[in-house]
Amino acid sequence: MNYTLFIQRRAERELEDLPLDAYERMVEAIRLLAAEPRPRGCHKLRGRNGWRLRVGNYRVIYEIDDRARTVTVCHVGHRREVYR
């Protein structure tokens, strides 16, 4: 029951800009989204499409397409900047 994982170019650049320790935790959290797109602790966003996953002080904003069985990572960043 795995989903195909896509990472938008913008999210790739944001991921590359993270500190090394945060980068490693974020990559692992994103990989796990392919197996479980709605893990414990994720939340549906209000006012826009997508879901939020918290990883320490950082957030992953992503969209789920259950029909196509895909997860698309849209934004990655610090909690004070990622929602802008």
Side-chain angles (χ1 to χ4, degrees):
M1 193 159 133
N2 284 343
Y3 283 60
T4 304
L5 189 61
F6 295 104
I7 301 177
Q8 292 181 350
R9 181 67 186 133
R10 178 179 180 173
E12 285 180 7
R13 281 185 257 128
E14 293 169 342
L15 194 58
E16 291 169 358
D17 291 340
L18 295 178
L20 184 59
D21 61 328
Y23 173 85
E24 293 171 349
R25 289 185 296 148
M26 293 298 275
V27 168
E28 183 61 26
I30 290 170
R31 279 193 195 130
L32 294 175
L33 288 175
E36 178 56 52
R38 294 176 185 90
R40 184 179 190 142
C42 74
H43 291 282
K44 178 91 170 90
L45 294 176
R46 294 184 196 167
R48 70 188 243 197
N49 292 333
W51 292 78
R52 172 200 53 110
L53 180 63
R54 188 176 127 193
V55 182
N57 285 331
Y58 295 90
R59 305 292 185 263
V60 178
I61 306 297
Y62 61 100
E63 296 176 352
I64 303 170
D65 184 351
D66 288 317
R67 285 187 178 166
R69 302 192 58 75
T70 61
V71 173
T72 305
V73 177
C74 303
H75 295 288
V76 175
H78 194 274
R79 63 188 176 102
R80 70 175 167 246
E81 298 167 355
V82 77
Y83 299 109
R84 294 180 186 170

